[in-house]
Every structure is written in structure tokens, then in C-alpha cells.
Amino acid sequence: MWLNGTSDLIEKLKKLGVHKVALQFPEGLKRQAAPVATDLKDAGFKVIISGDPCYGACDLALDTLAYGDADALVHFGHAPVDERENVIFEPWTVDFDIPILEKALPLLKEKTVGLVTTVQHAPLIPAMETYLFSHGHECRVADGTGRTPLRGQVIGCSFAAAKSTGAGEILFVGTGLFHPIGIALVTKARVIALDPLTGTAQEVSADALLRRRFAIMEKARGAQHIGIIVSTKSGQQRRALAERLAALSPGAVIVTMREVNPDELLNLGFDCYVNTACPRLAYDDQVRFKKPVLSPQEFEILCGVRTWDDYTIDEIT
């Protein structure tokens, strides 16, 4: 459910003196756009909705502000990854019954456990701590910082909250396996993943991902023409990194893109690509790409400036 509600947002906008409002929703929440827009229009605001794909707080519809369509952009569902003028972030929480944590208890071997989750469940961190403490586990939870401003929060491009716990065993509460696999690679800790919506708990291994990534790297070995992808999205632009990577190979050329999709990469015709945009593109979407898409660290390994023993998952810091 939406954490604050339309009435609170209306009051916030009025206090800021906003008259024209742009709304942006991630893919899973887009069906909320019409009713929220109606409420704001009824309150006297001029409203537009960004209909473009949105994959996170790093993908803001800033064009709605640049062209004067709106005085403020309201972004739903995520916490900010950086400071942006005239952008309002409205969290969206997904509640669950705290006793579902019992599913993870048999898998926890250590008394001290690092605890992390995603933005949707971050408000439940205190209740999770209390529950685990009552069952014999002391929790380490990192304070919010940088791209993950909420306490105990991790995102797909930053696992700082997991590293900061310093724990040898970490409990991730959330859906999917990408986050816990990334945590395992970054921290080298034992990671237990609990899906609070299905009640499924499991120990996570990064071995399968590493085997897949090694195969992709071997496929890219010897590539003559290499496209270094630079995102033009608000929170994904890593031009300095791209320029450093391009300098590692005479066949590397920087390619700027907003949406990184299989058709465009195929049309460009490079032998392989190095992704400095959203890190998850290389890991999650490789099956969709006809050519290898490497992470910066993988490209460094192929270029001989990093060893395989120093392999780690890509993060934006």
C-alpha cells in the first residue's frame, strides 16, 4: 500500500507552492497512476503522467521538469539515490506478517546476523529485529547512506548496507535472488534469502551466476569492436568509468543510450558490449542479448588489469 496517501501528498504540494505536477510510477505500480492523478486534479493541480518505462529512482522523468510541463516530479515506489531539486519521492510499502521469519530460523547458524531488505519492506526492519532477537539472534542493521538512504536497505546496484554489517551471516528479506546473490559476492558471507510473500527460505550460492558469467567472458574474448555503454538516465551516468574502460582497448568506443535493448545493440553491430548503465542489465538480461554484455569488472579481467580472484558484482557508488 502507499505509505502516505493522497491527502498527505496534496498538503505537501500545496506547502511547496506547486501548481503543475508530473507523476512517475515504476512498472509494477503504473495502474495506480490514473486514480492518483484524479485525486490531484480534483484538488486543483494540473497533472501529467510520465508513460515511459521506469526501473527505479535512477530513472527519473526529468524531462517533465526541463520542458516546463511541471513544477515538481513525484516519483512513487522508491527512495532517492541522489539529491534532485523539485523531485518528491513517495515510498510504497508491502507489508507481511512478521512471524513468517520463522521460515528462515532453521537456516540461521550464527547468533549475530546481518539484516537487509528492499525499499518496500524497509519500514518493517524494527519489527524484524525484535522478532529475531526474541528467537535468539542479534541483528546488525546498517544505517542508510548514499544510494540506499533507508536503514537496512539494499538495491540492485548497491549492497553497502550488507557490507556495513560486517556479519558472517546475512539474512535478506525480499523477493527474487538477484539481491542475495549480489550480497554473497560482495560480502563473501553466508546468505539466507527469505521471500516474505511466499514464505520460501533458502541458502543462496553465487556459483551458478559465476559459471554463466565466465562463459560470457570467454565468448567475448578476442572481440575486435567493443561498445562501452553509457546511460543517459539521471542516476546511471558513469561517464568517467566508461572513459577509463575505453582506454583499456583500442577497439573500444563509447555508446550513449537511454534504453539498452537487444534490437539496438544488434543494430549497432559491435562484437561485444561493456555495460556502465544499470548493473542488472548484464546479469539479468544477458539471455535477451545476441552479443556478450560484460560488467566493467569482467572487462577489466579480460584486459588483464583485474584477476578472476578479484571478481565482484558491479555496483554504482
Side-chain angles (χ1 to χ4, degrees):
M1 61 177 295
W2 183 13
L3 184 62
N4 295 324
T6 309
S7 59
D8 288 346
L9 175 59
I10 289 171
E11 290 303 312
K12 185 184 300 184
L13 293 171
K14 287 181 177 179
K15 287 181 180 179
L16 292 174
V18 172
H19 300 290
K20 298 183 292 183
V21 185
L23 306 180
Q24 183 181 31
F25 294 81
E27 298 310 290
L29 296 178
K30 271 192 164 59
R31 290 186 179 273
Q32 304 294 328
V36 172
T38 298
D39 286 350
L40 294 180
K41 288 183 67 177
D42 289 346
F45 296 97
K46 180 180 178 181
V47 181
I48 64 170
I49 296 170
S50 172
D52 289 328
C54 172
Y55 302 104
C58 59
D59 190 7
L60 299 176
L62 297 179
D63 55 329
T64 60
L65 301 175
Y67 300 141
D69 293 327
D71 305 320
L73 169 67
V74 182
H75 177 93
F76 292 84
H78 299 103
V81 296
D82 53 18
E83 292 295 327
R84 294 283 173 174
E85 188 177 2
N86 298 326
V87 178
I88 299 168
F89 291 87
E90 288 293 321
W92 198 288
T93 60
V94 177
D95 293 332
F96 60 84
D97 294 329
I98 296 299
I100 198 69
L101 294 179
E102 69 178 356
K103 301 292 186 179
L105 294 178
L107 298 176
L108 298 177
K109 296 181 178 180
E110 303 291 335
K111 177 178 175 60
T112 300
V113 177
L115 178 62
V116 293
T117 190
T118 51
V119 61
Q120 297 90 345
H121 308 309
L124 297 177
I125 281 281
M128 287 191 270
E129 288 180 277
T130 299
Y131 181 89
L132 291 169
F133 184 78
S134 70
H135 288 77
H137 295 282
E138 178 184 345
C139 291
R140 293 182 185 173
V141 182
D143 291 334
T145 182
R147 294 177 72 86
T148 50
L150 304 182
R151 187 167 173 265
Q153 178 200 4
V154 293
I155 56 178
C157 63
S158 177
F159 305 103
K163 288 184 286 188
S164 296
T165 67
E169 186 170 75
I170 296 175
L171 174 62
F172 166 80
V173 181
T175 58
L177 292 178
F178 178 83
H179 292 89
I181 288 174
I183 292 167
L185 284 171
V186 167
T187 65
K188 314 302 181 187
R190 182 171 181 265
V191 179
I192 304 300
L194 170 67
D195 185 328
L197 305 184
T198 65
T200 303
Q202 60 184 302
E203 182 176 353
V204 172
S205 171
D207 291 347
L209 173 66
L210 290 174
R211 287 193 295 269
R212 290 196 300 272
R213 298 314 301 171
F214 182 79
I216 294 298
M217 291 168 61
E218 286 303 303
K219 188 176 179 181
R221 192 178 296 277
Q224 297 298 307
H225 304 289
I226 304 158
I228 311 293
I229 300 171
V230 176
S231 175
T232 60
K233 293 185 177 182
S234 58
Q236 297 180 15
Q237 298 174 20
R238 293 190 283 175
R239 181 170 288 276
L241 171 62
E243 291 176 349
R244 180 172 65 78
L245 295 173
L248 297 179
S249 171
V253 179
I254 290 177
V255 179
T256 63
M257 305 183 75
R258 176 163 181 81
E259 293 295 331
V260 182
N261 63 68
D263 289 340
E264 291 303 322
L265 296 192
L266 186 62
N267 287 338
L268 283 165
F270 286 89
D271 300 323
C272 81
Y273 296 88
V274 182
N275 173 54
T276 71
C278 173
R280 296 191 66 167
L281 285 168
Y283 306 114
D284 284 358
D285 292 348
Q286 181 62 68
V287 68
R288 300 171 54 227
F289 299 126
K290 301 297 184 182
K291 297 293 184 178
V293 178
L294 305 177
S295 72
Q297 293 79 8
E298 291 165 352
F299 185 59
E300 289 175 339
I301 292 173
L302 287 186
C303 292
V305 298
R306 179 188 291 261
T307 67
W308 177 257
D309 290 340
D310 193 29
Y311 185 99
T312 188
I313 201 164
D314 185 26
E315 296 182 88
I316 299 179
T317 57

